Amino acid sequence: MAIRSLALTALAGAASVAAQDTIDVPTDLSTRALVPDVYGYSIEPIWLNDYLSTPLAKTLLSSIADITGAPPPIRVGGNTADQTYLHPTLPGGNISDPIPGLPNAKLFNVTPSWYDTWADYFPAGTPLIYTLNLAANESAWSNAVAQAEAAYAALGDKLVMFELGNEIDHFINKGWRSASWGVDEYIGQFRNLTGQIRAAEWYKNAESKPRFQAGVFADPPWVPDQQDEIDDFSIANLTREGEGGIVERDEDREIIGSYATHLYPQSSCDAKRWLRMRLDLLSNHTTLWLNVSQYIPQVAAADKAGAPLVMGETNSVSCGGKSGISDTFGAALWGIDYVLMGASVGIQKTYFHLGAQSEYSSFTPKPYTLKNESLASGIRPGWYGHYFVAKVAAAGKGENLSIAALPGANSSDLSGYAVYTGEEQQRALRKLVFLDMGVWNGTEGLSNNSTLNATDGTVFSNGTRPTTTLSVKTPWCNGANVSALRLTAPGTNAKSGVAVAGVTFNSATGEKVGEEKTETLSVGENGVVEVKLTRAEGVLLEVEDGSNCSSGPVAETSGALKRGPITWVGALAAGVGAVFMIAV
């Protein structure tokens, strides 16, 4: 996918610290909503047919819905969205035609029947987002207007939002807009195209009218545009800090369902950035915080403008991923930390990009040949990260969850989150998540028949795999039972052998294999829970009766800026000399 960036250095005073043995759960943590469908997928349009051709994706996604009660949201969009054209018919009776063919299609022609093929594939209740072609504006976006009508005719109320274009802050470099392209021109074109769609009879008559996901920007706010494109695109600028701009008119504010940005922390797009890809850097919690924290002002602007910010497309390494990094257990741990960290600062949902032949895809539906190797369809460690997140985000009937990062579990190799149930001052701590992000390169689980053998691990950790005992002070009652559910693998470098509470998935069918096995812990004096955590492992703790014996004030929902030794205020005060970004 498009070029991205990576934050490589720590803020002043934010050096890595050793994993702590004792962790306190403060009573005044700021929280943000944790929605059940916090983890979603973005599918490149030219690869959608492959995912629809087998039951693998539907079976996997249904297993998430069984846990959370909400299927993962699906966005159909990506680079080829702005090269997609609708035609009444195509030669040979085809309903879609990637040109010059897969995997290197630069043009995607479709008919209205193409939308029918995905109308009934995904689990019931799956919210669908579709990216219209904003690039082609030669005829007042007649192609995009026709796409919108055809998509809604096939998908109906399953279609919850449209996007107008993909990564519009790269349109100048791609030759699709002039050098004057920026927020003001975008707002005018947004109003033009949305106005045409809303004026159409089908839209007026729709019982459930699709809204619009605005923004869809690629470049991180703190990093200069890496394609030499000078523009002013950011959610803060787009909304005039939430008080104007695209939401100056009430009619526009009402049709915007969310704002989207994109992020890829590493890149395989060219040789220069290829040399900077590293698994240990991807899975480093401090590095992740540096990447995610730059969106806090964008979250604030979106909130003030009346709609949430989502990470509308993301993955580990842009331009399709990098086997040996993207398809490892280390990347799965990163994905969990990423989604939960994002939720804790107000990024409501995170969509991981999928391509049927991409090295970063969590699951691939069909066999294919890549770099002279024959790969099978299959499931990679990233999927198990999603399954673990589903366990974290699952709520009881009628419950709403919220999440906060734990300041005492915040170092380069340790991450922790508190999950609450209830509203405002009545919140009660329900779950705790701890992720050991440290690197342990094991000698097992090195291969996966859906990944490249050439990138299987060859460098291994010495000695015995470390285990830490965490003593966590909670408000839970002395003697209360706490279930412990683990995400395990042979090591950071593992491509297989991953399990959640002992459960695995059949790589061919997507069906669950095995029975879930959890541990039962007991709360000790003063609410202390002790749990062992092995290097490169995740654990979810959940109190069984849901009650708290002690409580204190819980801060109102906010941006959850507190991050132990790393703070947003510290980032601002440190200045340019304390923080620098290296484009990757």
Side-chain angles (χ1 to χ4, degrees), residues 360-430:
Y360 53 39
S361 296
S362 291
F363 44 91
T364 51
K366 298 172 67 174
Y368 63 102
T369 298
L370 178 67
K371 298 176 182 177
N372 299 317
E373 290 191 32
S374 296
L375 305 183
S377 61
I379 300 170
R380 297 160 177 174
W383 164 253
Y384 290 89
H386 186 181
Y387 191 76
F388 183 84
V389 169
K391 294 289 187 177
V392 176
K397 187 175 181 180
E399 285 185 338
N400 293 315
L401 299 182
S402 58
I403 187 169
L406 291 172
N410 176 36
S411 67
S412 62
D413 56 6
L414 181 64
S415 175
Y417 299 90
V419 177
Y420 298 84
T421 184
E423 301 293 338
E424 299 298 337
Q425 300 299 321
Q426 302 303 314
R427 291 193 185 109
L429 180 67
R430 173 60 60 83

Side-chain angles (χ1 to χ4, degrees), residues 180-262:
S180 64
W181 179 239
V183 163
D184 291 339
E185 285 194 20
Y186 168 70
I187 291 173
Q189 295 186 13
F190 178 91
R191 289 173 176 169
N192 185 318
L193 181 49
T194 59
Q196 290 187 65
I197 293 171
R198 291 161 58 209
E201 287 302 313
W202 70 265
Y203 192 90
K204 292 179 180 178
N205 297 329
E207 292 184 7
S208 181
K209 294 177 172 57
R211 300 174 80 188
F212 297 87
Q213 184 157 279
V216 199
F217 305 145
D219 293 332
W222 285 356
V223 182
D225 195 302
Q226 296 146 25
Q227 295 192 353
D228 297 324
E229 177 176 318
I230 299 174
D231 58 51
D232 60 351
F233 285 114
S234 74
I235 303 303
N237 288 341
L238 178 63
T239 64
R240 305 292 191 266
E241 303 294 344
E243 297 183 341
I246 199 170
V247 292
E248 181 179 6
R249 306 187 315 183
D250 288 342
E251 61 185 280
D252 295 320
R253 182 184 293 263
E254 291 169 0
I255 64 171
I256 295 174
S258 54
Y259 294 89
T261 55
H262 296 176

Side-chain angles (χ1 to χ4, degrees), residues 230-388:
I230 299 174
D231 58 51
D232 60 351
F233 285 114
S234 74
I235 303 303
N237 288 341
L238 178 63
T239 64
R240 305 292 191 266
E241 303 294 344
E243 297 183 341
I246 199 170
V247 292
E248 181 179 6
R249 306 187 315 183
D250 288 342
E251 61 185 280
D252 295 320
R253 182 184 293 263
E254 291 169 0
I255 64 171
I256 295 174
S258 54
Y259 294 89
T261 55
H262 296 176
L263 174 67
Y264 288 76
Q266 298 187 23
S267 180
S268 64
C269 294
D270 54 60
K272 183 178 180 180
R273 289 171 295 159
W274 183 282
L275 297 174
R276 292 201 290 267
M277 292 184 295
R278 282 170 41 191
L279 177 56
D280 63 331
L281 197 56
L282 178 73
S283 62
N284 183 298
H285 176 69
T286 301
T287 301
L288 178 60
W289 167 246
L290 291 171
N291 276 309
V292 172
S293 64
Q294 63 187 310
Y295 292 93
I296 291 173
Q298 312 307 312
V299 168
D303 286 349
K304 200 167 186 178
L309 180 71
V310 303
M311 196 60 73
E313 180 190 314
T314 193
N315 217 305
S316 54
V317 179
S318 64
C319 288
K322 175 66 171 67
S323 185
I325 296 177
S326 304
D327 51 11
T328 67
F329 184 62
L333 287 170
W334 164 81
I336 298 166
D337 201 16
Y338 185 11
V339 172
L340 299 183
M341 183 185 293
S344 75
V345 301
I347 299 173
Q348 187 188 66
K349 300 180 184 182
T350 300
Y351 294 76
F352 288 82
H353 205 52
L354 297 176
Q357 296 183 16
S358 297
E359 294 170 53
Y360 53 39
S361 296
S362 291
F363 44 91
T364 51
K366 298 172 67 174
Y368 63 102
T369 298
L370 178 67
K371 298 176 182 177
N372 299 317
E373 290 191 32
S374 296
L375 305 183
S377 61
I379 300 170
R380 297 160 177 174
W383 164 253
Y384 290 89
H386 186 181
Y387 191 76
F388 183 84

